[in-house]
């Protein structure tokens, strides 16, 4: 039995999870929440993580019913992500690995999402749509790499939603994206927004600029409601994502789609992707907020796969990389 503990803290979530041979033993998490209209700054986010990380570590061990001696490997998020929070978590993981006398392993955050999705859904070889606050990519596995077929050329879809939430002062508790999703369910009027797909890539900055400028004018004049804007933004963004995912499926001859990342637990996105998959005779795989949103267990699962195939990160190499591409990692644990 191989037991791996995973430390995740690349953005405003701090999570520590423990995996034992495909079984999630524990997965506690804390979220740094700011007032409506505000984002989260790297330094303040790192301060939050420092304040709670040892409590979360204790929770993870207690929930799993394990002692440090039972752990075989310590995995942490190497990147991509925000610099200060990444450094905070990496320092704790390095310290824990040395105190416990365990090997250390730096994990790519995106691959953590993919491996967790594969574990939970049992998807075999899916086309992956990875959508979160910091990343938007369409990915497929080929020849020992997770290849990026399409991605955002500016901001991530989650960042677009979060920044729109700030414009109309939507609460950040539990997350702006979740609150937009709930408001969108009450929207009925579709407001036309820019739709920007460029081959296999997407662009969201133009949509954001347009809606940021138009939102208050439209709301004040009574042209539409805030719920209508949430509905329209979701429909436009998600249509673009479905389009590039379908294009990648056609290119790869794939009959499976796996949605991962924080935005992946949006039920409207899952519904729209499900319609496309049904029309193609394909299968859709998705998870709920326990595993879609950043969590420690996903780092533990990717670490488990990597550790079992011979990967270890030596202490002098255990830095962080804010821009750590998904396709930089050699995937030695798949065929």
């Amino acid at each position: 039995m191989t037991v791996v503990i995973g430390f995740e803290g690349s953005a405003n979530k701090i999570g520590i999870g423990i995996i034992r041979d495909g079984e999630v033993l524990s997965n506690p998490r804390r979220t740094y929440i700011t007032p409506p209209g505000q984002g989260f700054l790297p330094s303040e986010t790192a301060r939050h993580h420092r304040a709670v990380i040892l409590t979360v570590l204790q929770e993870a061990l207690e929930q799993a019913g394990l002692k440090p001696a039972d752990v075989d490997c310590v995995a942490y998020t190497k990147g991509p992500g925000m610099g200060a929070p990444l450094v905070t978590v990496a320092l704790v993981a390095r310290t824990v690995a040395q105190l416990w006398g365990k090997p250390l392993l730096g994990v790519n955050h995106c691959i953590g999402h993919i491996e967790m999705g594969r574990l939970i859904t049992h998807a075999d070889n899916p086309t992956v749509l990875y959508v979160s606050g910091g990343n938007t990519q369409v990915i497929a596995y080929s020849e020992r790499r997770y290849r990026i077929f399409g991605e955002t050329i500016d901001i991530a879809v989650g960042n677009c939603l979060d920044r729109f939430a700030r414009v109309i002062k939507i609460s950040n508790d539990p997350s702006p994206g979740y609150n937009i999703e709930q408001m969108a369910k009450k929207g009925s009027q579709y407001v036309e927004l820019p739709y920007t797909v460029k081959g296999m890539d997407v662009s969201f900055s133009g949509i954001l600029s347009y809606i940021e400028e138009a939102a208050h004018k439209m709301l004040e004049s009574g042209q539409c409601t805030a719920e209508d804007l949430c509905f329209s933004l979701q429909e436009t963004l998600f249509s673009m994502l479905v389009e590039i995912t379908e294009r990648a499926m056609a290119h790869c001859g794939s009959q499976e789609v796996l949605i991962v990342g924080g935005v992946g637990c949006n039920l409207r996105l899952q519904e729209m992707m499900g319609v496309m998959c049904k029309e193609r005779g394909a299968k859709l795989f998705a998870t709920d907020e326990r595993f879609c949103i950043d969590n420690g267990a996903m780092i533990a699962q990717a670490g488990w796969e990597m550790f079992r195939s011979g990967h270890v990160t030596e202490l002098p190499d255990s830095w962080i990389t804010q821009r750590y591409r998904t396709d930089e990692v050699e995937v030695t644990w798949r065929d």
Side-chain angles (χ1 to χ4, degrees):
M1 297 287 235
T2 303
V3 177
V4 178
I5 188 167
F7 290 75
E8 156 57 27
S10 59
N12 70 326
K13 313 278 189 307
I14 174 77
I16 299 174
I18 301 176
I19 293 274
R20 180 175 59 205
D21 290 353
E23 181 188 0
V24 181
L25 300 182
S26 62
N27 199 19
R29 174 174 60 201
R30 297 283 191 284
T31 303
Y32 173 52
I33 295 171
T34 53
Q38 293 183 27
F40 46 93
L41 297 172
S43 58
E44 291 172 4
T45 308
R47 196 175 300 124
H48 165 267
H49 291 1
R50 284 197 297 273
V52 301
I53 190 166
L54 294 182
T55 305
V56 178
L57 174 57
Q58 191 173 358
E59 271 181 38
L61 288 169
E62 286 175 357
Q63 287 176 21
L66 297 179
K67 303 182 294 297
D70 301 320
V71 174
D72 296 302
C73 177
V74 177
Y76 73 96
T77 302
K78 182 177 176 179
M82 299 170 76
L86 280 172
V87 167
T88 297
V89 176
L91 282 170
V92 174
R94 285 162 64 168
T95 305
V96 164
Q98 290 176 86
L99 286 172
W100 295 357
K102 305 296 178 182
L104 185 66
L105 196 45
V107 172
N108 180 288
H109 178 85
C110 315
I111 287 178
H113 275 295
I114 295 169
E115 294 306 336
M116 196 69 200
R118 289 180 63 228
L119 171 69
I120 299 299
T121 65
H122 304 292
D124 178 37
N125 187 24
T127 297
V128 179
L129 175 65
Y130 170 36
V131 276
S132 69
N135 299 276
T136 301
Q137 296 175 343
V138 178
I139 300 159
Y141 174 74
S142 175
E143 295 180 0
R144 291 199 152 196
R145 300 273 168 174
Y146 281 116
R147 312 284 175 179
I148 300 169
F149 281 81
E151 61 189 316
T152 174
I153 57 174
D154 38 51
I155 60 172
V157 63
N159 187 236
C160 181
L161 290 166
D162 291 352
R163 286 167 63 178
F164 169 69
R166 286 178 225 164
V167 171
I168 60 172
K169 299 289 193 291
I170 293 173
S171 171
N172 290 326
D173 188 10
S175 74
Y178 174 82
N179 293 326
I180 287 173
E181 180 183 2
Q182 304 318 308
M183 288 178 68
K185 292 174 183 174
K186 299 171 188 167
S188 55
Q189 179 190 342
Y190 178 75
V191 177
E192 195 163 328
L193 299 171
Y195 183 100
T196 317
V197 172
K198 302 185 177 186
M200 297 288 279
D201 296 329
V202 286
S203 169
F204 299 122
S205 59
I207 301 169
L208 179 65
S209 299
Y210 179 88
I211 204 166
E212 278 179 336
E213 190 178 330
H216 291 302
K217 294 176 191 170
M218 296 175 85
L219 293 173
E220 285 165 12
S221 66
Q223 272 182 268
C224 65
T225 65
E227 288 78 7
D228 291 333
L229 287 176
C230 291
F231 165 73
S232 305
L233 183 61
Q234 270 199 175
E235 294 297 300
T236 306
L237 298 179
F238 295 168
S239 295
M240 292 161 59
L241 295 173
V242 171
E243 180 183 332
I244 63 169
T245 304
E246 184 172 22
R247 195 166 286 139
M249 288 175 74
H251 183 82
C252 299
S254 170
Q255 287 297 98
E256 293 180 334
V257 173
L258 171 64
I259 308 178
V260 299
V263 181
C265 52
N266 185 300
L267 296 179
R268 179 57 183 150
L269 174 57
Q270 292 182 18
E271 182 184 14
M272 291 171 72
M273 196 68 75
V275 170
M276 180 272 285
C277 287
K278 190 176 178 185
E279 288 174 354
R280 294 184 66 86
K283 280 185 181 177
L284 173 65
F285 298 92
T287 64
D288 58 30
E289 57 86 28
R290 291 172 301 163
F291 304 115
C292 258
I293 294 170
D294 292 352
N295 63 90
M298 71 185 210
I299 301 304
Q301 174 59 18
W304 184 88
E305 295 278 15
M306 294 172 73
F307 183 61
R308 301 259 296 192
S309 68
H311 288 258
V312 169
T313 303
E314 297 300 330
L315 200 61
D317 300 325
S318 60
W319 56 74
I320 60 111
T321 305
Q322 281 188 263
R323 298 181 181 274
Y324 190 13
R325 297 278 293 176
T326 313
D327 51 8
E328 284 180 44
V329 180
E330 186 179 8
V331 181
T332 55
W333 55 94
R334 292 188 60 175
D335 50 37

